[in-house]
Amino acid sequence: MLEASSLCVEFGGVSALSEVTFSVAEGSVLGLIGPNGAGKSTFIGAASGVVLASAGTVTWRGAPLAGRRPDQIARLGIGRTFQHARLFPGLTALENVMIGSHLAGRSGVFSAMFRSRRWRKDETLLRNAALDAMESVHALELAHRLSEDLTAGQQRLVSVARALASGPSLLFLDEPAAGLTDAERHLLAADLKQYFATHEVTVLLVEHNLGFLMSLVSDIVVFDRGTVLAEGTPAEIRSNRAVIDAYLGADHAAR
Amino acid sequence: MMLTHSDAPAARTSGASSTETAIGTARVERLVAWGWQPAAIVVWIFVATPLFGGSNVYPLLVLAGIYGIAVVGVSLLAGLGGQMTLGHAVFMAMGAYASALATTKWGLSPLAGMALGIAAALTLALVTSPILRLRGWYLAMATAAFSFLLQQVLVNLRDLTGGNNGIFGIPPLSVGGFEVTGEKSYFIFSWAAVLVLFLLGRNIARSRFGRSLTAIHKDTDAAATVGINPARAKAVLWLVAAVPAAFAGSVFAHYSAFIAPTDFAFATSLLLFLPVLVGGERSIFAGLVMVTVFMTTSAYVTQTLTTELMEAIAVIVICLLSPHGLAGLASTALSRLRAIGRRDA
């Protein structure tokens, strides 16, 4: 279970997150929505070691995440995407995703130098993990294309594959559908639904596209101006007055 | 130099024979891609002595080979890892002085001296690894400072190092019963060592470790997110890069039979770094070609690389490395001038 308890994040006197408390049940997919600047990405930053929390805690299976380095958090089995794809330039899509499967491998400098059998096994493992991840988002045909030659949507797909490549048990997806065409979005939603159904993974999904989000999540948390505004099922959220005023708008309430 | 195996999901072609041809061609292509650089080095080893032996250039080619050994390490550090290193001669000095002292004062074999040199270089690398917290321009300045610091240390530890007079009478390199004497033997030895280290270095680059270094270089935060520990990877690389430099230093000591602090000055560090900068960050081979070019062009300039020339190069390098490059320096200067102009108005 992912648990945030009175989590506060301050940037130079400005409170980006204030007393944020909620939890994500093991194996479930929780949607995180809210207006821009509400603190959604800041929360992911705090939970992934990129942003420093000023107070409160966020724990994964009881282990505190605040204060750990990003690579230490990754080693706890936590993966994430960024608001921008942030692929490594000059490398192919497959190489990018293979870097994502880094933790699945163990070979270091010495076995690399002498190309030992252990190294070969390791490389095959890393490569297969990467290929599997790319296959699960239908990105295999992009494998040998350079990352900077891909469209924004394709880059985003590859970045999702990169996060999946290490087989994380907790996944933070930060607007994975942004910049995708309608067709790409539908395909990604289906792919992620399939992935979540076949893998043991807990997911926190930040997304503005509510259609995309609703097809994947069982519960929703709404952020507004750094605090939790509401929690509940999609239906409850849609009929929540405060949420409608702050974010959804009247036309969503009608549905 | 990222190797991308061309064994993606294969296209379905009609007929078994055309698929076999496609696979066969792909295999040949991969063999050529893998083998042309080592093959070029082998050809060089065979061809250079008949072509250049006895001329003015030949000793420079031997030195190119010796520096080339160190350049493999610098190529991994500065090229693959993106770590500016303007002080790598320090590690050469470790190897050289260890070998010199071991064989002239302490009665040890050349191999023992080499081992000592590598151990000294690794220790120094370990102790100095916190420097890697610096980046870019600042790392460049700090590593440059190493070079100058080393000069002072070598000169002042007169009893140990012979100060400015250096150490002379270093015996030739001998491995087992075999002695390496004469230009030709050192040429073959050093370039054979280059070949071996090139292959090892390339193996490192094309590996999980190599990929993690590229990731750190391109986007450190994204790299950390997938579980790569940037500080640790950079430290390992720093240590790895020190070893060939120490080895090169040892070979240099035995070849030259005489070493002095000036052999490991800032100019030498530049000689190790500039070929990598010019040759491009992705190719160890290009770095080797460039160090050979640098050494040989100095033969056609009437003097060897003089201190003045090296200092001029240093200024240029420093300008290029400044946070926004030469153009940045110029625009900063320009905006300052404009500000002064406005103030007076």
Side-chain angles (χ1 to χ4, degrees):
Chain A
M1 180 167 74
L2 175 74
E3 257 192 293
S5 179
S6 301
L7 189 67
C8 302
V9 173
E10 252 177 61
F11 291 127
V14 175
S15 181
L17 287 180
S18 167
E19 301 288 322
V20 167
T21 302
F22 71 94
S23 58
V24 187
E26 192 78 37
S28 69
V29 183
L30 181 74
L32 176 52
I33 65 175
N36 283 320
K40 308 186 296 294
S41 293
T42 307
F43 177 80
I44 293 183
S48 60
V50 173
V51 166
L52 202 60
S54 44
T57 61
V58 52
T59 61
W60 166 240
R61 292 176 175 168
L65 299 182
R68 288 192 207 239
R69 292 191 320 261
D71 60 280
Q72 291 171 322
I73 287 178
R75 245 170 270 137
L76 291 175
I78 299 174
R80 66 163 292 182
T81 61
F82 295 88
Q83 268 185 309
H84 304 287
R86 282 181 88 164
L87 295 185
F88 302 109
L91 299 181
T92 65
L94 180 60
E95 283 163 345
N96 264 277
V97 181
M98 277 179 82
I99 292 172
S101 63
H102 179 88
L103 286 177
R106 296 189 28 225
S107 59
V109 183
F110 280 113
S111 39
M113 262 197 278
F114 301 110
R115 292 289 197 255
S116 61
R117 181 171 302 157
R118 177 208 171 147
W119 180 85
R120 262 181 273 258
K121 269 186 169 171
D122 214 59
E123 276 292 295
T124 311
L125 207 103
L126 290 173
R127 194 182 177 77
N128 288 339
L131 289 170
D132 286 345
M134 293 191 80
E135 192 176 24
S136 56
V137 293
H138 283 92
L140 264 182
E141 67 262 20
L142 304 173
H144 298 292
R145 307 258 307 272
L146 282 178
S147 57
E148 54 263 38
D149 294 339
L150 301 174
T151 66
Q154 290 170 331
Q155 288 189 14
R156 195 160 285 276
L157 275 188
V158 174
S159 76
V160 172
R162 186 175 63 180
L164 298 179
S166 59
S169 48
L170 173 63
L171 192 56
F172 295 118
L173 292 175
D174 199 344
E175 298 186 45
L180 297 185
T181 64
D182 282 347
E184 285 171 334
R185 214 167 37 239
H186 284 124
L187 188 56
L188 180 61
D191 286 338
L192 285 178
K193 205 176 176 75
Q194 169 76 359
Y195 185 88
F196 297 157
T198 51
H199 293 78
E200 275 179 42
V201 60
T202 306
V203 184
L204 182 66
L205 173 63
V206 172
E207 188 49 65
H208 281 299
N209 190 303
L210 295 174
F212 179 87
L213 184 109
M214 300 294 187
S215 66
L216 292 169
V217 304
S218 47
D219 287 286
I220 296 180
V221 165
V222 186
F223 272 24
D224 184 34
R225 278 173 287 184
T227 58
V228 174
L229 189 59
E231 280 178 80
T233 64
E236 287 165 359
I237 294 298
R238 258 188 241 124
S239 54
N240 184 307
R241 180 91 251 150
V243 174
I244 294 166
D245 289 343
Y247 183 52
L248 288 177
D251 37 273
H252 269 268
R255 266 187 259 147
Chain B
M1 271 184 0
M2 287 292 138
L3 177 69
T4 48
H5 298 280
S6 49
D7 54 356
R12 296 221 172 90
T13 53
S14 56
S17 60
S18 47
T19 321
E20 278 165 25
T21 319
I23 294 173
T25 317
R27 276 215 188 105
V28 170
E29 275 173 9
R30 269 192 297 177
L31 190 64
V32 169
W34 182 89
W36 75 268
Q37 290 168 343
I41 299 175
V42 170
V43 168
W44 170 249
I45 293 174
F46 278 108
V47 148
T49 310
L51 275 180
F52 302 108
S55 72
N56 280 349
V57 172
Y58 197 64
L60 295 170
L61 298 181
V62 178
L63 282 175
I66 294 174
Y67 290 126
I69 294 169
V71 164
V72 173
V74 177
S75 185
L76 289 175
L77 181 62
L80 184 69
Q83 304 295 305
M84 297 289 171
T85 175
L86 300 184
H88 221 72
V90 164
F91 298 116
M92 271 191 82
M94 293 285 112
Y97 274 91
S99 283
L101 290 169
T103 53
T104 59
K105 282 196 185 158
W106 300 335
L108 298 172
S109 72
L111 273 186
M114 268 180 187
L116 207 62
I118 290 174
L122 283 173
T123 309
L124 182 66
L126 200 62
V127 164
T128 53
S129 56
I131 205 185
L132 297 168
R133 283 182 217 157
L134 301 171
R135 297 198 189 173
W137 169 238
Y138 305 99
L139 181 61
M141 293 272 75
T143 51
F146 272 175
S147 267
F148 296 109
L149 214 78
L150 179 81
Q151 290 299 295
Q152 294 304 309
V153 169
L154 290 176
V155 166
N156 286 313
L157 291 181
R158 210 162 293 130
D159 291 335
L160 188 67
T161 64
N164 271 315
N165 297 328
I167 302 176
F168 51 89
I170 304 168
L173 182 60
S174 54
V175 182
F178 294 102
E179 231 185 31
V180 186
T181 39
E183 298 277 1
K184 183 177 174 190
S185 306
Y186 277 102
F187 178 86
I188 295 172
F189 182 84
S190 56
W191 281 100
V194 166
L195 177 64
V196 171
L197 286 171
F198 169 80
L199 290 170
L200 293 179
R202 197 172 65 170
N203 283 351
I204 292 175
R206 298 174 179 183
S207 71
R208 174 175 173 262
F209 180 66
R211 283 191 299 268
S212 68
L213 289 173
T214 306
I216 293 166
H217 182 197
K218 309 247 174 185
D219 190 340
T220 311
D221 288 337
T225 295
V226 299
I228 296 169
N229 185 337
R232 191 166 175 279
K234 288 198 280 190
V236 171
L237 180 62
W238 183 244
L239 286 156
V240 167
V243 175
F247 179 62
S250 296
V251 179
F252 179 84
H254 290 294
Y255 170 65
S256 176
F258 161 67
I259 56 170
T262 47
D263 290 322
F264 310 103
F266 183 57
T268 313
S269 289
L270 279 184
L271 182 61
L272 297 179
F273 175 72
L274 289 177
V276 172
L277 182 71
V278 173
E281 60 178 34
R282 310 205 81 194
S283 174
I284 303 175
F285 187 75
L288 295 172
V289 169
M290 286 319 299
V291 75
T292 312
V293 167
F294 278 30
M295 287 307 296
T296 50
T297 49
S298 69
Y300 297 101
V301 174
T302 40
Q303 305 145 290
T304 44
L305 295 165
T306 62
T307 325
E308 290 79 41
L309 179 60
M310 293 311 293
E311 279 168 7
I313 292 174
V315 170
I316 294 170
V317 170
I318 285 163
C319 288
L320 287 171
L321 292 174
S322 87
H324 300 287
L326 216 47
L329 281 178
S331 66
T332 312
L334 209 60
S335 57
R336 292 254 168 86
L337 284 172
R338 284 205 202 100
I340 296 170
R342 256 179 268 127
R343 228 181 288 141
D344 289 345

